Amino acid sequence: SVACGLALRKGDVFAPLIRDAAGRFAFGEPLIDGVRTYLGSCLGPMRGRDGNVHRGYPREGYLPMISHLGAMIAVVNGTLFARRLKGVTGSVGLASLGDGATSTGSFHEALNQAAIEKLPLVVVIANNQYAYSTPNSRQFACRDLADKAVGYGVECHRVDGTDLAACLTL
């Protein structure tokens, strides 16, 4: 997630996952806001109204996570599409999700929409081999998660997420 946060620019859209604290800070979230939200402070970006992972600044393109189950792709799509309608160009959207999210209807619908509309969307999937307690072998029939991209006509890359140098060069 650090590579994602570093690659994005001001004006881009970022929808991080619950485990993406480092990516949030790399994208520019002030550390004090993370601490304030974690402590439930009314001085935090969500004014103490939500849990510690549901924080962000939607107007600035930093979206609070509403779900880890693929739903954030549609939210990023909506933001990118709204920007297109307003004539805003040059921004990219990035949605992070886990491997289990790729088995949800919201994932398929949103990825299809992004492909059809040719939205500047990047989807980062953290494949930890399990969706809660369900192994990949019981999650999807394709050989590799990257195979799912082919069906939508979207470009796909594989990278070892634990290798920062590899992530930064992708």
Side-chain angles (χ1 to χ4, degrees):
S1 70
V2 170
C4 295
L6 291 173
L8 294 169
R9 303 173 313 264
K10 186 176 175 93
D12 288 340
V13 181
F14 185 35
L17 265 178
I18 57 175
R19 297 180 194 103
D20 290 341
R24 294 167 187 265
F25 298 135
F27 187 58
E29 178 187 35
L31 181 59
I32 189 68
D33 284 351
V35 172
R36 285 177 172 157
T37 302
Y38 184 78
L39 296 174
S41 170
C42 63
L43 301 175
M46 307 314 283
R47 297 186 296 260
R49 296 189 189 137
D50 210 335
N52 63 356
V53 296
H54 304 278
R55 62 184 191 267
Y57 299 94
R59 288 188 178 108
E60 286 82 34
Y62 171 39
L63 304 178
M65 190 192 82
I66 57 169
S67 172
H68 59 284
L69 297 176
M72 291 308 294
I73 300 174
V75 177
V76 174
N77 285 356
T79 304
L80 292 171
F81 199 73
R83 288 179 178 189
R84 178 187 290 170
L85 293 175
K86 290 180 179 181
V88 176
T89 60
S91 62
V92 171
L94 189 148
S96 297
L97 48 128
D99 51 317
T102 69
S103 296
T104 64
S106 58
F107 169 83
H108 295 285
E109 291 170 5
L111 193 57
N112 188 53
Q113 177 192 34
I116 289 169
E117 294 296 335
K118 301 200 181 337
L119 296 173
L121 173 72
V122 176
V123 178
V124 176
I125 301 169
N127 185 358
N128 65 6
Q129 313 299 310
Y130 285 88
Y132 292 111
S133 61
T134 306
N136 283 167
S137 62
R138 304 292 299 156
Q139 199 52 241
F140 46 86
C142 55
R143 174 184 50 82
D144 189 298
L145 278 176
D147 295 338
K148 290 187 177 192
V150 175
Y152 296 99
V154 297
E155 188 176 334
C156 181
H157 301 276
R158 290 178 202 84
V159 66
D160 178 353
T162 64
D163 183 345
L164 180 59
C167 292
L168 290 171
T169 59
L170 186 60

